[in-house]
Amino acid sequence: METYFLYFGLVVLSLLNSMVSKYVDLNLKRILVFILLFLIILIVGLRSVNVGSDTIEYFNSFNFIRYENVGSFRNLLNNNFFGSERLEPGFVYLNKFLNYITPNPQILLFLESILLYGSIYLNISYLSLNPSLSAFFVLTGGIFITSMNLLRQYMALALCFLGYYFWTRLDKRKALFIIILATICFHRTAILFLFLFLTDRIKFNKKSLVIGGIISLGSILFFNPIIQIFYKVFPYYASYSNKLDYFGSGKTFVIFNILLCTLTLIVGLYCKKVGNFNSVFTFNRWNELSLFILISIVFTAFSWNFTQADRISQYFRAFMVIYIPNCMYMIKNKKVIQNVLLISYIVVFVSYFTYMLVFKDNWNNVVPYLFCF
């Protein structure tokens, strides 16, 4: 019961934050968002080894690496098992370095937490037109819960957020370097975030949405030949083959995420048509984030048969925390529609959060929550 008080207490605090932010200036809004994300950093960083399905594996790997001669970078590319985990070379070196600081693997959880929510704070502070609402979506939209399980991937996601921030500052070299660093150090799948560099050559519109839907449907119907080609190109992932052969919570989430992302893109097209861009949320920002959500639909559809594909979609779907508030801000002159969208999204995201914690059978092993002390 204490776990639910903790998690839903954060949701209530986040909603209060959003309500208060209407009456304060931008600097105070950023301070309120910082306080909320700081509390999340503490909760994620101070969690017990028993919170998160994969946390104990990272603890074991951290302790294993302490006594190992990790060898050269090239050797790590060929032999990268430490404990039961297959790790990226950069992540192995990071663990070795952290062991020199402290033998306590808790430092790894704190590093992930600070890196992830620090980069999110940077993005929503300067790119979101409603930082408090963005923070609410971070909490309830799956990032918070999943960050207590997928440690390496969410460290990679943190760098993707950071890379996108530099991209919006027109520093493409830093963006490229950071995304490659995420791939080498944290998770190989982060290389797909280089899709960012194609967004200035592709325009999102109704036709794009239809094409994305056809590709998504094709990925389900023609899964077997596609996955065989994928395994030939990337044999590393052959061991991850696992279909969702039952209509359980896995496929429920696939359907939900596809519908949510599709409806969000339709909302985005509507806001573009009747609303106005501004110096923060320009057409380019709208186009990039729309394409991110579209590509997330494709990978989510692919996860109907191959669950690991949903992890790739999370790199792109995470940016809905900026996209949704900004689209709603575009139609600030249409108060009725804006309020209907706001209430609808709050209800959907709170329901999503509740389902993950209450109705899903121990989602990512984050219930019960336990502190490390």
Side-chain angles (χ1 to χ4, degrees):
M1 185 59 68
E2 292 84 356
T3 297
Y4 296 120
F5 277 120
L6 176 65
Y7 289 155
F8 285 101
L10 282 174
V11 173
V12 172
L13 183 62
S14 180
L15 285 172
L16 290 174
N17 186 5
S18 297
M19 294 171 61
V20 172
S21 67
K22 295 180 180 180
Y23 308 101
V24 298
D25 61 26
L26 180 59
N27 288 330
L28 188 52
K29 286 180 182 179
R30 289 174 175 171
I31 292 173
L32 292 174
V33 169
F34 176 83
I35 293 172
L36 176 65
L37 292 182
F38 180 74
L39 292 175
I40 293 176
I41 286 173
L42 292 179
I43 291 172
V44 175
L46 289 173
R47 70 186 188 272
S48 162
V49 64
N50 297 312
V51 178
S53 303
D54 294 345
T55 305
I56 191 169
E57 299 298 338
Y58 288 113
F59 271 51
N60 291 337
S61 296
F62 183 91
N63 294 325
F64 189 88
I65 291 171
R66 183 187 314 153
Y67 304 106
E68 284 292 304
N69 179 12
V70 298
S72 68
F73 187 87
R74 176 171 294 185
N75 288 337
L76 287 175
L77 290 175
N78 298 321
N79 182 20
N80 54 1
F81 274 95
F82 289 87
S84 62
E85 288 292 299
R86 183 169 14 194
L87 306 176
E88 284 70 17
F91 190 72
V92 175
Y93 286 128
L94 175 64
N95 276 261
K96 194 69 173 179
F97 172 75
L98 293 177
N99 264 290
Y100 289 124
I101 299 175
T102 175
N104 188 344
Q106 199 71 36
I107 190 175
L108 195 59
L109 304 190
F110 257 112
L111 179 62
E112 177 223 1
S113 184
I114 293 171
L115 185 62
L116 175 61
Y117 293 102
S119 64
I120 289 176
Y121 174 75
L122 182 66
N123 273 266
I124 65 177
S125 292
Y126 294 99
L127 299 177
S128 174
L129 295 169
N130 191 338
S132 298
L133 187 59
S134 290
F136 171 78
F137 290 144
V138 168
L139 177 63
T140 57
I143 294 177
F144 167 62
I145 295 297
T146 313
S147 69
M148 290 190 282
N149 182 45
L150 302 181
L151 185 144
R152 277 166 43 239
Q153 183 173 350
Y154 270 61
M155 292 178 85
L157 175 61
L159 291 190
C160 289
F161 267 112
L162 190 59
Y164 182 70
Y165 172 80
F166 283 111
W167 170 272
T168 63
R169 293 295 183 268
L170 303 180
D171 196 339
K172 294 185 178 181
R173 289 185 179 180
K174 283 184 180 177
L176 177 62
F177 172 77
I178 290 171
I179 295 170
I180 293 176
L181 187 67
T183 304
I184 295 173
C185 289
F186 299 130
H187 213 279
R188 289 168 175 82
T189 54
I191 194 68
L192 294 172
F193 196 71
L194 288 176
F195 173 78
L196 170 64
F197 286 82
L198 299 177
T199 56
D200 55 359
R201 301 181 182 181
I202 306 173
K203 301 303 179 186
F204 176 77
N205 48 39
K206 294 179 182 178
K207 183 179 179 181
S208 305
L209 186 57
V210 172
I211 293 174
I214 294 173
I215 295 174
S216 300
L217 182 61
S219 69
I220 296 174
L221 298 177
F222 304 102
F223 170 77
N224 287 328
I226 294 174
I227 198 64
Q228 292 307 317
I229 295 173
F230 177 81
Y231 286 153
K232 288 181 180 180
V233 178
F234 302 104
Y236 172 88
Y237 290 99
S239 62
Y240 287 99
S241 178
N242 52 343
K243 294 184 178 181
L244 297 175
D245 291 325
Y246 58 95
F247 192 85
S249 58
K251 287 191 175 179
T252 302
F253 274 108
V254 170
I255 295 171
F256 173 84
N257 284 321
I258 290 176
L259 289 176
L260 175 63
C261 291
T262 302
L263 292 174
T264 296
L265 288 179
I266 293 173
V267 169
L269 286 169
Y270 170 78
C271 293
K272 171 180 174 289
K273 181 178 180 180
V274 304
N276 299 298
F277 294 110
N278 53 56
S279 59
V280 175
F281 196 50
T282 62
F283 171 80
N284 287 339
R285 299 288 85 81
W286 175 88
N287 188 67
E288 291 158 1
L289 298 185
S290 296
L291 290 171
F292 279 3
I293 298 172
L294 180 63
I295 199 71
S296 78
I297 292 174
V298 174
F299 281 111
T300 301
F302 198 72
S303 71
W304 181 271
N305 292 300
F306 183 60
T307 57
Q308 299 300 318
D310 186 64
R311 296 191 177 191
I312 299 172
S313 73
Q314 291 177 39
Y315 290 119
F316 303 99
R317 191 166 65 235
F319 285 85
M320 283 206 303
V321 303
I322 298 172
Y323 185 80
I324 296 173
N326 286 4
C327 283
M328 287 194 290
Y329 186 89
M330 289 175 64
I331 55 171
K332 60 181 179 180
N333 294 327
K334 297 183 178 296
K335 288 295 183 183
V336 175
I337 297 177
Q338 187 186 54
N339 288 333
V340 169
L341 286 174
L342 176 62
I343 294 171
S344 298
Y345 272 113
I346 289 175
V347 170
V348 168
F349 274 77
V350 170
S351 300
Y352 183 73
F353 186 76
T354 302
Y355 179 80
M356 284 190 292
L357 291 179
V358 179
F359 300 104
K360 174 68 176 74
D361 184 22
N362 203 8
W363 178 262
N364 286 332
N365 200 34
V366 297
V367 177
Y369 179 87
L370 299 170
F371 285 102
C372 63
F373 46 81

